[in-house]
Amino acid sequence: MKIAIAAVLLVAAVVVEHTCHLNTWQLLLLYLLPYLVAGHETLQEALEGICHGDVFNEHFLMSVATIGALCIGFLPGAETEFPEAVFVMLFFQIGELFEGYAEGKSRESIAQLMNIRPDVAFVERDGQLQRMAPEQVKPGDIIVVKPGERIPLDGVVTEGATQLNTVALTGESLPREVGVGDEVFSGCVNISGMVRVKVTKSYGESTASKIIDLVENASEHKSRSEAFITRFARYYTPVVVIGALLLAILPPLISGQFNSEFPKWLHRALIFLVVSCPCALVLSVPLTFFGGIGGASRKGILVKGSNYLDILARTGVVVFDKTGTLTHGKFAVEAVHPETCDERHLLHLAAHVEHYSTHPIGAALRDAFPDEATDGCLVEEVEEVAGQGVRAKVEGQVVCVGNTRMMEAVGAKWSDCPHVGTVIHVAINGEYAGHIAISDKVKDDSAEAISQLKEMGVQLVAMLTGDREEVAAHVANQLSLDEYHAGLLPQDKVEHMRQLIEGKGKAKDMGVAFVGDGINDAPVLAMADVGIAMGGLGSDAAIEAADVVLMDDHPSKIATAIAIARRTLHIARQNVWMAIGIKVAVLILASFGLATMWMAVFADVGVTVLAVLNAMRTLNA
């Protein structure tokens, strides 16, 4: 509104100036009205900056330049610049308006994600539903979620079945079917049926709360471009002000005709100030990255900061975990090969030992012997051995369930298995009892993901896994991976990543990305230049350990993330070169007295508007 009012007042002032004979003071008063309407906030920002020690900012530059333009007409032999001064301030406000609009559009795209914040939970107490704030609900409470309502807290369905809209979390438009025993996550919308859910996490630990915190803090991690612009502006603006002062004073002094030459050089100095204002860079570059993060969030890709967009854009090495990343991670028992007992007893022992395991292999063994939870066997002294398996006492017998390393550690002579899959060996009191073959299916879009990465110029796509050589070779061949390393302990994965980062990655200024499930690969995720967590939906470890979280299980989203990052950096560079190029051209013209205040306005505010509009293209990721 103020821009429209100021524009009308400016037009009226120009009409009055050309129809009435007014002196310089009267013209100043006439133009001060639209000037103050348009620029009072800018003047106030400049004054506040001076009071707080932040003197040299774009508001200060714009205030000094326009006040100088208002005053230059009072110097001997100088022409008035009243309309130009008002127009500079007016156009500056238009630039601010475009910036606000663009930032608003960026926030809207992120707001779609932020709408996952639940407002209310209906808790079942003594047969009655109580309306409560999600923060007040405790784990163990039963909540009722009706069709159309947003799930307020993470939990497990205890009654009912429905479809969930997970698009705000995953970017996936297809609804997800859930029933009794299935996990549900806060932020999803219940589509079809009423369900009762047993809360498993407090609000502060819920998926929605963690994602909201992640997005809100993304701006703390600046890209290299943003960090450079921030440092650049800190030193650039004082240099510009000093340069303008020298331009106004030195040439008249050197010429020996200060009084007659000063107005001309002051006019050039004011043009220099307007042109040199770094608005286009200071506003558009951060806005470009902000838009890139917003555009990625709409695809179900959460980026913790624009510095990770920077790394993604130059990623040349992508390393995958296997289980749960390239494969579904949903194992099923394929074959049981006992040696000293029958199949049922072998499964019985393995299922009991793996009863408390959160690993997918443990779940597969329990699924294959569902009676283990009710047969009353005594299981004690459960111990997980890193990189080997699980040891426990079952009815007084020491049972070891794990890989060949565990068998060798207990002195059991193990047998190989012809099946291509994960082989779980079982030893009872140090004697080999047999093995169980478990298979895992490669995800439907894993091959497409690898192909897309290679087409994008990623030079090395590798896989690190703790699984057997045969299984790893089968998956690597199926997906056309460049290389793989199998049978790795957690520390082995860390060592391989270190070699990749110090070798192929850093030598060519490439980013090295590691893609894992965020649960078992936290050390490697943290070590990589950029850690990408697959299937972040509901995974606390994924959200905590990774720099980028893909809110579904689609490996093809990695190529999407890299494409968004590259496009974002490309647009940021366009803005930098456009702004610098036009400003330098007008400054050269100004130094020879060929530039006008109108050209200066375009070189500053006009370029800012163009840069902001260009930055908005990142929203269409």
Side-chain angles (χ1 to χ4, degrees):
M1 179 61 73
K2 70 175 182 180
I3 292 175
I5 295 172
V8 171
L9 290 173
L10 175 59
V11 172
V14 172
V15 171
V16 170
E17 180 185 2
H18 287 84
T19 56
C20 302
H21 297 288
L22 302 177
N23 62 36
T24 305
W25 283 103
Q26 290 171 327
L27 286 173
L28 175 63
L29 294 174
L30 179 65
Y31 281 100
L32 269 180
L33 189 58
Y35 176 80
L36 293 174
V37 169
H40 67 279
E41 290 182 359
T42 301
L43 295 171
Q44 184 178 343
E45 290 279 353
L47 186 60
E48 287 178 1
I50 293 171
C51 294
H52 291 94
D54 181 24
V55 178
F56 300 106
N57 54 45
E58 64 268 21
H59 299 286
F60 176 79
L61 285 181
M62 201 53 59
S63 298
V64 170
T66 53
I67 290 171
L70 289 172
C71 296
I72 195 170
F74 293 95
L75 295 175
E79 295 184 3
T80 59
E81 296 272 356
F82 299 133
E84 289 87 342
V86 178
F87 192 79
V88 168
M89 188 60 78
L90 181 63
F91 212 26
F92 180 70
Q93 295 304 318
I94 293 173
E96 296 262 288
L97 179 67
F98 270 93
E99 181 219 347
Y101 173 76
E103 188 168 327
K105 294 294 287 184
S106 297
R107 290 192 182 279
E108 275 179 27
S109 64
I110 291 180
Q112 294 177 7
L113 184 67
M114 303 301 278
N115 283 337
I116 65 176
R117 190 192 302 273
D119 298 319
V120 65
F122 292 96
V123 183
E124 198 169 58
R125 298 264 174 90
D126 301 323
Q128 301 291 323
L129 286 183
Q130 297 182 14
R131 183 187 177 99
M132 300 176 66
E135 294 86 347
Q136 297 175 320
V137 182
K138 298 177 181 178
D141 285 342
I142 300 295
I143 58 175
V144 175
V145 187
K146 298 175 183 177
E149 293 179 349
R150 194 175 296 277
I151 294 176
L153 297 134
D154 294 4
V156 177
V157 177
T158 60
E159 183 182 332
T162 187
Q163 292 182 314
L164 298 182
N165 181 347
T166 65
V167 67
L169 299 183
T170 67
E172 179 60 55
S173 58
L174 291 176
R176 177 181 169 219
E177 303 274 353
V178 295
V180 175
D182 290 332
E183 279 189 291
V184 294
F185 305 106
S186 54
C188 298
V189 176
N190 185 8
I191 299 174
S192 53
M194 188 182 81
V195 290
R196 281 179 169 81
V197 176
K198 184 177 181 180
V199 176
T200 56
K201 296 178 183 176
S202 63
Y203 175 73
E205 295 299 315
S206 68
T207 300
S209 178
K210 286 180 175 291
I211 292 172
I212 289 167
D213 181 66
L214 183 155
V215 175
E216 286 179 340
N217 293 318
S219 60
E220 294 180 5
H221 305 280
K222 293 186 176 182
S223 67
R224 291 192 297 184
S225 303
E226 286 180 285
F228 169 75
I229 292 297
T230 302
R231 293 194 303 269
F232 173 75
R234 189 180 304 153
Y235 299 105
Y236 169 80
T237 309
V239 169
V240 164
V241 173
I242 294 169
L245 284 173
L246 294 175
L247 185 62
I249 296 171
L250 285 182
L253 283 175
I254 293 171
S255 68
Q257 299 176 349
F258 186 85
N259 291 336
S260 60
E261 290 290 316
F262 180 66
K264 178 178 73 175
W265 286 101
L266 177 60
H267 181 259
R268 294 182 183 181
L270 294 176
I271 292 175
F272 181 87
L273 273 181
V274 173
V275 174
S276 301
C277 187
C279 300
L281 296 176
V282 172
L283 298 180
S284 70
V285 172
L287 186 62
T288 301
F289 283 96
F290 188 61
I293 291 173
S297 71
R298 292 190 314 190
K299 302 284 189 180
I301 302 167
L302 302 185
V303 183
K304 286 189 176 180
S306 53
N307 56 326
Y308 300 118
L309 284 178
D310 225 343
I311 300 168
L312 274 173
R314 55 187 176 86
T315 293
V317 177
V318 179
V319 184
F320 287 90
D321 174 44
K322 180 181 74 69
T323 307
T325 302
L326 292 172
T327 64
H328 285 285
K330 294 180 180 178
F331 291 85
V333 171
E334 184 177 316
V336 181
H337 297 152
E339 293 201 3
T340 61
C341 60
D342 60 34
E343 290 187 9
R344 179 175 173 78
H345 188 59
L346 192 67
L347 278 174
H348 163 263
L349 291 174
H352 273 295
V353 172
E354 294 280 357
H355 178 79
Y356 298 103
S357 174
T358 58
H359 196 281
I361 288 176
L365 291 170
R366 292 194 298 273
D367 290 342
F369 194 83
D371 297 335
E372 61 89 17
T374 58
D375 65 3
C377 276
L378 177 63
V379 181
E380 52 190 348
E381 297 181 23
V382 179
E383 178 189 1
E384 186 166 343
V385 182
Q388 294 185 12
V390 182
R391 178 191 297 118
K393 272 190 176 181
V394 182
E395 294 292 310
Q397 293 181 308
V398 178
V399 181
C400 296
V401 179
N403 57 23
T404 56
R405 285 195 186 92
M406 174 165 271
M407 297 300 103
E408 290 167 357
V410 300
K413 295 182 179 180
W414 54 274
S415 301
D416 205 353
C417 181
H419 286 82
V420 176
T422 300
V423 177
I424 303 301
H425 299 273
V426 182
I428 304 172
N429 294 327
E431 288 191 27
Y432 191 65
H435 56 257
I436 302 166
I438 296 175
S439 63
D440 184 15
K441 185 181 178 183
V442 171
K443 291 179 182 177
D444 294 338
D445 69 333
S446 288
E448 178 191 353
I450 305 303
S451 175
Q452 287 176 344
L453 290 172
K454 291 182 177 181
E455 287 175 6
M456 296 177 77
V458 173
Q459 296 192 9
L460 177 70
V461 183
M463 180 179 72
L464 304 179
T465 179
D467 215 333
R468 292 189 307 152
E469 171 72 23
E470 295 83 355
V471 178
H474 178 69
V475 173
N477 182 61
Q478 192 174 348
L479 299 179
S480 300
L481 297 173
D482 295 321
E483 65 179 64
Y484 70 92
H485 301 276
L488 302 179
L489 295 171
Q491 58 266 33
D492 298 329
K493 288 187 178 182
V494 171
E495 182 57 34
H496 275 85
M497 277 301 296
R498 180 178 289 111
Q499 292 174 9
L500 286 169
I501 290 171
E502 293 175 353
K504 296 184 178 72
K506 291 298 182 184
K508 300 177 182 178
D509 193 35
M510 288 181 183
V512 178
F514 181 81
V515 189
D517 60 13
I519 298 172
N520 302 314
D521 297 305
V524 197
L525 281 167
M527 168 176 279
D529 292 331
V530 57
I532 304 173
M534 290 290 300
L537 185 60
S539 171
D540 293 343
I543 294 174
E544 294 294 335
D547 307 312
V548 178
V549 181
L550 308 183
M551 298 306 293
D552 56 28
D553 285 322
H554 301 313
S556 54
K557 284 284 184 73
I558 298 165
T560 303
I562 292 175
I564 290 172
R566 289 181 178 178
R567 186 167 184 266
T568 300
L569 252 72
H570 180 66
I571 291 173
R573 291 191 184 105
Q574 283 180 343
N575 283 342
V576 169
W577 287 112
M578 176 178 66
I580 291 175
I582 293 176
K583 284 178 180 292
V584 167
V586 176
L587 283 175
I588 292 171
L589 293 174
S591 63
F592 292 101
L594 300 175
T596 65
M597 187 62 77
W598 302 108
M599 293 172 65
V601 169
F602 172 75
D604 175 41
V605 188
V607 170
T608 300
V609 170
L610 291 175
V612 166
L613 290 174
N614 193 37
M616 288 177 66
R617 293 196 297 123
T618 56
L619 292 171
N620 300 320

